[in-house]
Amino acid sequence: MAKFNLENYETVEDRLKAFWNENPNARLSTEVVHMTDDGTCVTIIASVFKQEDDARPVTTGIAQETKGQGGFANTDAWVENCETSAIGRALANWKYQGSNKPRPSQQEMSKVGNDTVDVTKVDKRKKENKPSEEVKAITEESIAKFEEDIGYNKETSLNNAKQIAKIIDGFGLADDIKDKVKSKAWKQFIGAGHNKDVEEWDNDTIGAYLDLFESLIPEFEPSNDTDIVEDVFGEVTTTVVRTCPECNSPDWIEDNREKKASDERFAKIPSWSCSTYQSNKGCGWTAWGDTDCPKEWL
């Protein structure tokens, strides 16, 4: 049997250092999307945001760990280990996987040791080891739809089917995209020889199916042209034409903020004006401070 060397795999800590170095204003957040009633099996999703205030993540990563399985780290710290793996997967799903090293992180490949990874800049908002209200609110209709898609027998236990449906909904995809990804992932997964009976799947099989599902998402999500251009050429800036809110003319707008700040003689003039000074033919509109002008001007 072939052996692998852990030194060939990049650590999550290495990925985080590169990530924060290149994205100092970014944000990482993690959330428990599923936990068994006895707390011994947890699934966590990590989300990567280019900017701290971004509403939509640039990528996500999911990991699942079970207490006592997969090495010493999961004896007492399976939740922490799961969060670290999810972060590593999310970073790899974007562009932080190393140029000459395999995609999985050391934390994924080795479930041993009790070293912890410094994720100081990870979102520090309170995270409890239970699903959020949003995840709890996932409807039975969504679960039933997944069962229908996979031809599941509803007379038997629904634990695995419910868990998979909740995790898939945790990706936050539009319903039409989610259905397309789900359909293709299911056909490929069963076509590869996996058991059609979802309740017979173990944690590794569930993880493999979710990995496939996640890998297919980019095929169906609409591309963001701005993101593509930024990845190649750097940040794209947008030029805003300042048009007077009163007369709709862009010709006579004056930004006096720098002048006011640098010379006390101009301290009492408006911050913005549609100038009528000398030969200017503005309408005389004025604004004081940054609250009276259109937000896109700032």
Side-chain angles (χ1 to χ4, degrees), residues 1 20 40-41 43 75 114 126 130-131 139 145 196 206 210-211 221 225 241 261 265-266 273:
M1 179 179 295
W20 289 123
T40 59
C41 181
T43 304
T75 302
N114 51 14
K126 183 178 180 181
K130 60 183 180 180
T139 64
K145 183 170 178 54
K196 289 185 178 181
I206 293 175
L210 293 172
D211 284 347
E221 281 195 314
D225 292 338
V241 177
R265 293 177 301 171
F266 301 106
S273 67

Side-chain angles (χ1 to χ4, degrees), residues 19 152 287:
F19 170 74
Y152 186 69

